[in-house]
Amino acid sequence: MKLSDFRNRHAGEDIYVIGSGATLPHYDPSFFDHCVTVAINMGWQHHLDSVDYMVTKYHETAMEWKDNDRVGLVVVTKKLRGHVAPVLSERDDCLVVDHNNNPVAAFGSNDWPKKPDALVTSHSSITTGMHFAAYMGARRLFIVGADCGSLDGKWTIEGHPTGGTPQTAASFERHNRIVKKELEKRYDVRVVSLLPFTTPNMDGHKFESHAGRLN
């Protein structure tokens, strides 16, 4: 498999890119029925039965999930975390993608991959999934669970192995904004982040980030 095999595979469709934020359990799982789903890493497993694609920068995660019936296809960066050895060769059991050398927290718009058939990598893992969805021809790209903050004191969905900090959340948010702008410039796609609440006032829940608090 090569990334070029997936160019415009879902042309004109809506694609949902699913993170591991604490807002994710507030969506009824049926919300995603009959939707094209691109999940990031493995937080989704604690709330959803299955996803169409799972994008990760972590080789161990890719090897663990590549043959799992709950995932249609695992997509993994060629370099571990997008910037360090080891380097995976092309495989038949998952999609190994080329990418820019991930500058992690220092990522900016100038770090976009030079090859046309490569995906962006940054400190925020969800940016790689966003790019993959746009590459596959998404008409509208809906981001779910990319909270970049804490909800009722929780940074991630229950069961996720890692949490978060205000510093990493600020970095992730900045990278997500950069990649949204680049995708809308480079592809025929509109990128929107969703909330599972009536209004941004969070229906009585308390949301906190580097930018302030909502409740």
Side-chain angles (χ1 to χ4, degrees):
M1 284 186 291
K2 295 183 179 180
L3 181 60
S4 58
D5 298 332
F6 293 83
R7 181 186 291 275
N8 293 324
R9 174 166 290 201
H10 295 286
E13 298 183 57
D14 294 339
I15 298 183
Y16 292 77
V17 180
I18 302 170
S20 301
T23 59
L24 182 57
H26 294 272
Y27 293 88
D28 189 292
S30 65
F31 179 84
F32 302 100
D33 288 352
H34 312 297
C35 298
V36 180
T37 50
V38 175
I40 309 306
N41 298 324
M42 60 288 190
W44 63 272
Q45 69 173 304
H46 304 293
H47 189 57
L48 303 177
D49 289 335
S50 63
V51 292
D52 297 307
Y53 303 93
M54 181 176 135
V55 176
T56 184
K57 296 181 295 189
Y58 303 101
H59 293 176
E60 277 189 14
T61 301
M63 295 306 104
E64 178 184 351
W65 283 92
K66 64 183 179 59
D67 297 318
N68 195 300
D69 291 340
R70 296 175 66 185
V71 177
L73 177 71
V74 169
V75 181
V76 60
T77 53
K78 182 170 289 187
K79 291 184 180 180
L80 179 64
R81 298 198 295 277
H83 67 112
V84 296
V87 176
L88 285 176
S89 57
E90 291 181 355
R91 306 172 61 98
D92 293 326
D93 51 2
C94 63
L95 176 62
V96 180
V97 297
D98 283 323
H99 48 85
N100 60 298
N101 192 50
N102 183 8
V104 197
F107 173 80
S109 58
N110 291 334
D111 294 301
W112 205 262
K114 301 298 186 286
K115 297 179 181 178
D117 295 312
L119 298 182
V120 73
T121 57
S122 74
H123 196 189
S124 172
S125 291
I126 206 166
T127 57
T128 306
M130 291 165 63
H131 193 181
F132 183 57
Y135 183 93
M136 291 195 295
R139 176 174 68 108
R140 294 180 299 195
L141 195 167
F142 295 107
I143 306 173
V144 176
D147 299 347
C148 297
S150 67
L151 184 73
D152 298 332
K154 297 180 179 178
W155 287 91
T156 57
I157 188 171
E158 193 76 31
H160 196 268
T162 58
T165 67
Q167 291 75 26
T168 57
S171 178
F172 293 169
E173 181 180 344
R174 184 173 68 85
H175 296 179
N176 294 353
R177 288 181 177 182
I178 291 170
V179 170
K180 171 186 174 176
K181 183 177 180 180
E182 290 296 319
L183 292 179
E184 292 188 338
K185 181 172 70 176
R186 295 167 182 267
Y187 297 86
D188 187 19
V189 65
R190 293 297 174 265
V191 181
V192 176
S193 186
L194 298 183
L195 281 175
F197 305 117
T198 310
T199 74
N201 291 317
M202 303 305 211
D203 291 358
H205 297 277
K206 184 171 73 173
F207 178 82
E208 294 185 277
S209 77
H210 68 95
R213 187 178 82 179
L214 290 170
N215 64 344

